[in-house]
Amino acid sequence: MGASDFSKLPHIGEPLLRREDERFLTGAGQYTDDITLGAQTYAVFVRSPHAHARLRSVNIDAAKAAEGVIGVLTGADVAAAGINGLPCGWLITSTNGEPMKEPPHPILALDTVRYVGDQVAMVVAETLQQARDAAELVEVDYEVLPAVVNVADAAGGKKPGAVVHDIAPDNHCYKWAIGDKAAVDAVFAGAAHVTRLDLVNNRLIPNAMEPRVAIGSYNRAMDEYTLYVANQNPHVERLLMTAFVMGLPESKVRVIAPDVGGGFGSKIFLYAEDVCLTWAAKKLNRNIKWTADRSESFLTDAHGRDHVSHAEMAMDADGKFLAMRVHTDANLGAYLSTFASAVPTILYATLLAGQYTTPQIHIEVDAWFTNTSPVDAYRGAGRPEATYLLERLVSRCAWEMNLSQAEIRRRNFITSFPYQTPVALQYDIGDYKACMDQAEQLADVAGFAARRAASEAKGLRRGLGYSSYIEACGLAPSNIAGALGARAGLFECGEVRVHPTGSVTVFTGSHSHGQGHETTFAQVVAARLGIPVEHVEIVHGDTGRVPFGMGTYGSRSISVGGAAIMKALDKIEAKAKKIAAHLMEASDADIDFAGGEFTVRGTDRKLPFAQIALTAYVPHNYPLDKLEPGLDETAFYDPTNFTFPAGTYICEVEVDLATGVVRVDRFSAVDDFGTIINPMIVEGQVHGGLAQGIGQALLENCVYDRDSGQLLTGSFMDYAMPRADDLPDFKLGTVCTPCTHNPLGTKGCGEAGAIGSPPAVINAVLDALHSLGVKDLDMPASPHRVWEAIDAARP
Ligand code: MCN
């Protein structure tokens, strides 16, 4: 079935209420911490209080002897057990042809700790309190070493001895580049105007509502492990843990990720605690639970962003983009987290063409180790960094060329598709002008001048900020990603099991942790089979039930996971047609299937789906010589390209000059997500993304002390999360250019809001303050920072 026929089916485009919400809203959700296994014990991790230190000794005698303690495990035990460190899933090759530096990432520190929170020992006791008390008794003798927390210090060598890993004596992990440097430099040499911008993409801490949590369990009779874990991709977790770390066959480990309370990327990764719990469950022969407290989450969940960049755009005299040049320093933290190396390269630099026809682009990225928590994918992963840089640069180009923010974008929009960018990606389809037109209407740009005058009459400043983002979802295809360094496949798997009564269970390798898959995936299946949505159950998050999967990240689930289910449905339909043809004594080719009924073309003979299902399992009148009984099909789908959601966001702010307070007065967002399965869920996804993006622009900032390497923003007292009263009533719109290469026509929507919004906010603040001489501002635009910028611009 083609994407355009699919989009016309009943249920597609219906704002069905989320089925999963009934259990979430009535307290019936089953999160990992809700699970209590027999004779369960509790783990507490002893963590480094120093950013960088050598372990002179770790004395566990007193802890081991404490009441209730079952075991205390250290790096020496890990080494003795032959357990490897955590792997990195993406190999980046430096411009000089050398592989990136891949230092060991031990699951418990052996001789050195490299960031505050690095795990040194695991204490397991009968109760949580006993484990906490015993953890206090572990005596670690640290020899404190100099620490670096930012790329300038890591690269500068200003702190003698601040070498995070011996194998990278200059703290450099890799230098990577894309584009034709000579061609770009030549264009710059003859350009009518060059706009330059230095900017920082502030480091963020994910803060999912549910902290990380896991339970390790071991069945002695079967020699099998089970790990319950708040994770976004249980099969990947199992694959990494068995094949790379513990050396076990996959069949001996089951990973269950039940209800998960948000991940935003931070639960994609294999973390050290998960391995420790699984291994220790056998070693200590007990079920062991660990639940991170909020402080631990701040310290040890993989952080996001943290780029320092210099960007330049060469233009002709009319503001047409001729070439772009970018250098970015990326902070990777103390160790290479699972997909860390791909974020500032493949997921960032390839997006820097944006929505524009810039013919030549060159980007160079230097990645650095520092004594901070590892940095990895966080909602958007690379694409927010690209969008922030490009859309800030484009608005600055507009101001320097005396063009409006809209006009410069319109002059440079890509208008014909497919479009091959100079940075590897090929966009299949889009309509950027339509998004801009609708966004300007929703934002009532025509009425802005009057609103600005009204604000000024009150002594306030008002500004309008534009951001026309593009992003790439559903990383693909596997063979090309493999050639670019991916150490994993990028397909998805779906199994459709039709039961004898015609109800259906779908097993998907995607994982839902807030995105509403149990509703939208059921809509897809019900629409295709012409059966009630209530007759479809979606199962996810269990390697013991789902055949295989790559999980949820990069807003891939409906476009890749949904497409795998569509492929399985194709097989179901093909087999069911054969059964129907046999029952109605017709040829297979004459059977049509629509609205839940099989018909013989040109006749009034028909049979409902449920009857075919029953026949498949009660094969009395059945072509057993040609067809197996049963109706259960599995498919793997490997996309041929990314999907490219795009849109224009317009933010309107009011700034109080006396206090520096920025109030977001209006926010209009128009997105093109292709075919939309459930507009209500999509709207919710955009709302959440916008809250996170506006949070980054105005409030959130992860700060480490430059000397000691201590995390200064280690709690909600110091790390400001956006709240409802920080946000306006969003005005949303959509444009639909269906994705050309998946059977649903969908593009991902889960990250767009977080990607497109930060530059819209900062551009709006700069627009408000432009006439005062404020030309630059870093995120978060806190009152203090804004006030300082205003003050510095005063003559
Ligand atoms: N959808 C739709 N029509 C479309 C596109 C999507 O109806 N054209 C629906 C999908 O069927 C799905 C939801 O919208 O129910 C999101 O789909 P998709 O864009 O495919 O994204 P994923 O399901 O793969 O979710 C991943 C994405 C990412 S990468 C992050 S980070 C993120 C996000 O989703 N983390 C979230 N949204 C989140 N929402 C919550 N509540 N919690 C998180 O941790």
Side-chain angles (χ1 to χ4, degrees), residues 18 232 261-265 378-380 383 511 513-517 520-521 552-559 673-679 681-682 685 692 745-751:
R18 298 196 337 164
Q232 299 177 212
F264 310 107
Y378 170 60
R379 202 169 193 170
R383 290 100 87 212
H511 186 274
H513 38 279
Q515 295 92 343
H517 295 173
T520 51
F521 284 24
T552 286
Y553 57 86
S555 300
R556 70 193 297 269
S557 297
I558 195 64
S559 304
F673 298 133
T675 306
I676 287 180
I677 309 298
N678 184 321
I681 285 179
V682 167
Q685 286 293 307
Q692 279 177 299
T746 51
K747 309 176 192 180
C749 74
E751 296 159 288

Side-chain angles (χ1 to χ4, degrees), residues 333-471:
Y335 299 102
L336 282 173
S337 172
T338 313
F339 292 108
S341 50
V343 176
T345 49
I346 311 295
L347 297 176
Y348 163 70
T350 55
L351 267 297
L352 279 165
Q355 299 191 0
Y356 312 112
T357 53
T358 318
Q360 294 289 351
I361 299 177
H362 183 258
I363 298 132
E364 192 177 69
V365 179
D366 282 295
W368 305 94
F369 293 113
T370 61
N371 296 108
T372 61
S373 171
V375 178
D376 206 324
Y378 170 60
R379 202 169 193 170
R383 290 100 87 212
E385 294 90 319
T387 303
Y388 182 65
L389 179 138
L390 182 60
E391 291 304 295
R392 283 280 317 272
L393 184 63
V394 166
S395 284
R396 178 175 276 207
C397 289
W399 290 318
E400 291 188 3
M401 300 301 285
N402 284 320
L403 294 171
S404 71
Q405 293 180 69
E407 181 54 28
I408 199 153
R409 288 175 167 83
R410 287 182 193 279
R411 277 187 197 183
N412 288 285
F413 275 159
I414 295 161
T415 51
S416 78
F417 296 89
Y419 179 81
Q420 177 62 53
T421 73
V423 278
L425 300 183
Q426 190 186 67
Y427 305 159
D428 61 334
I429 196 164
D431 188 345
Y432 307 147
K433 189 177 162 302
C435 291
M436 168 80 86
D437 289 346
Q438 201 188 133
E440 290 203 292
Q441 274 193 349
L442 282 181
D444 183 25
V445 172
F448 174 70
R451 293 194 296 276
R452 173 175 263 181
S455 295
E456 285 181 5
K458 290 186 283 179
L460 303 168
R461 294 294 165 126
R462 183 172 282 266
L464 209 54
Y466 281 66
S467 162
S468 296
Y469 80 92
I470 186 158
E471 66 140 328

Side-chain angles (χ1 to χ4, degrees), residues 674-749:
T675 306
I676 287 180
I677 309 298
N678 184 321
M680 186 204 65
I681 285 179
V682 167
E683 206 171 286
Q685 286 293 307
V686 175
H687 280 199
L690 292 178
Q692 279 177 299
I694 294 172
Q696 170 168 28
L698 294 179
L699 299 154
E700 296 183 46
N701 200 21
C702 168
V703 182
Y704 281 93
D705 181 73
R706 199 166 174 180
D707 290 327
S708 67
Q710 292 295 328
L711 179 63
L712 299 179
T713 53
S715 81
F716 290 130
M717 294 297 284
D718 302 297
Y719 188 92
M721 294 291 282
R723 299 183 306 190
D725 63 354
D726 294 311
L727 305 169
D729 192 14
F730 300 125
K731 288 196 167 52
L732 305 188
T734 50
V735 161
C736 177
T737 63
C739 171
T740 58
H741 52 80
N742 73 47
L744 302 120
T746 51
K747 309 176 192 180
C749 74

